[in-house]
Amino acid sequence: MTRIAIVLGSTRPGRRAEIVARWVAEVAKRHHDAEFELVDIGAYGLPMLDEPAPAMTGDYRNEHTKRWAAAIDGFDGYVFVTPEYNHSFPAALKNAIDFLYAEWNDKAAGFVGYGAYGGMRAVEQLRLILAEMKVATVRTQVALSKHTDRDLFVDPENWRPSGDRDLTEMLDQLIAWSNALRTLQPVSAAARG
């Protein structure tokens, strides 16, 4: 079964990432050809990148890195739920991505951005970073803005998402790409020992 992580890309207090990620998980339940799991980068307690060797070497020394690597390696694709901060995505998400390399390779990613302009600039920058990690990104993305999803920002408890159709289309693409890329994935880090 194809496994997709819904990555909460913010660790900020009061973040909307949890609300948005739960919505993604609800819509994802309609897809019976994949399993989805919430992955909160905040739960891994990653400090600022502190590995002595570049991630590309796979020589992880710290237990927090090994835990993070084991979690990420088990997925075939990712939905990144990210806010836009100052025309980019959160530093905590960049840091979490930078800890690893092979675990990201030859997998697919989709995006749910949110912010004043739907997180569009954050997602565009995230696409560039993930390309370096050999992650294929799907075209369709979800953009939740203060204009179309006002309640997400001012009254999150009463938010009614506007992007179900885009989300369903993005998930369809993500599952298809994740399945296709499975044939390229190297032996997992766990199997390599």
Side-chain angles (χ1 to χ4, degrees):
M1 177 74 72
T2 301
R3 294 189 67 230
I4 308 288
I6 301 169
V7 180
L8 285 75
S10 173
T11 58
R12 188 178 194 170
R15 66 188 176 171
R16 302 300 190 257
E18 285 184 70
I19 297 165
V20 176
R22 283 195 306 264
W23 166 63
V24 171
E26 275 302 308
V27 173
K29 287 179 184 175
R30 299 178 201 153
H31 291 78
H32 302 290
D33 48 351
E35 295 175 354
F36 293 83
E37 183 179 324
L38 295 176
V39 175
D40 185 349
I41 61 174
Y44 288 85
L46 297 171
M48 289 304 288
L49 185 57
D50 64 347
E51 285 291 334
M56 195 176 281
T57 68
D59 183 19
Y60 305 142
R61 305 281 174 92
N62 298 309
E63 287 306 312
H64 53 261
T65 309
K66 292 174 185 176
R67 269 187 338 133
W68 178 234
I72 291 303
D73 194 44
F75 292 102
D76 302 301
Y78 310 94
V79 174
F80 288 93
V81 175
T82 183
E84 182 174 314
Y85 298 158
N86 301 315
H87 292 217
S88 189
F89 57 95
L93 179 53
K94 176 70 163 76
N95 188 57
I97 291 168
D98 287 346
F99 263 96
L100 309 176
Y101 183 72
E103 294 78 7
W104 300 116
N105 292 176
D106 301 318
K107 297 178 183 180
F111 306 96
V112 178
Y114 61 94
Y117 299 101
M120 301 293 279
R121 295 168 295 208
V123 168
E124 287 308 306
Q125 290 184 25
L126 193 50
R127 286 180 189 279
L128 291 172
I129 303 303
L130 291 173
E132 180 62 22
M133 300 297 179
K134 296 173 51 177
V135 174
T137 61
V138 300
R139 180 183 181 276
T140 301
Q141 69 186 58
V142 179
L144 305 172
S145 81
K146 289 186 176 186
H147 308 291
T148 58
D149 287 271
R150 185 175 183 277
D151 282 347
L152 174 61
F153 304 95
V154 297
D155 187 14
E157 298 303 318
N158 292 311
W159 174 54
R160 300 293 173 260
S162 67
D164 272 27
R165 189 182 59 180
D166 288 342
L167 179 56
T168 298
E169 184 177 332
M170 183 269 287
L171 292 173
D172 289 343
Q173 292 173 10
L174 179 58
I175 293 166
W177 282 43
S178 295
N179 287 334
L181 289 168
R182 287 172 86 173
T183 61
L184 298 177
Q185 291 173 19
V187 178
S188 73
R192 288 190 301 265

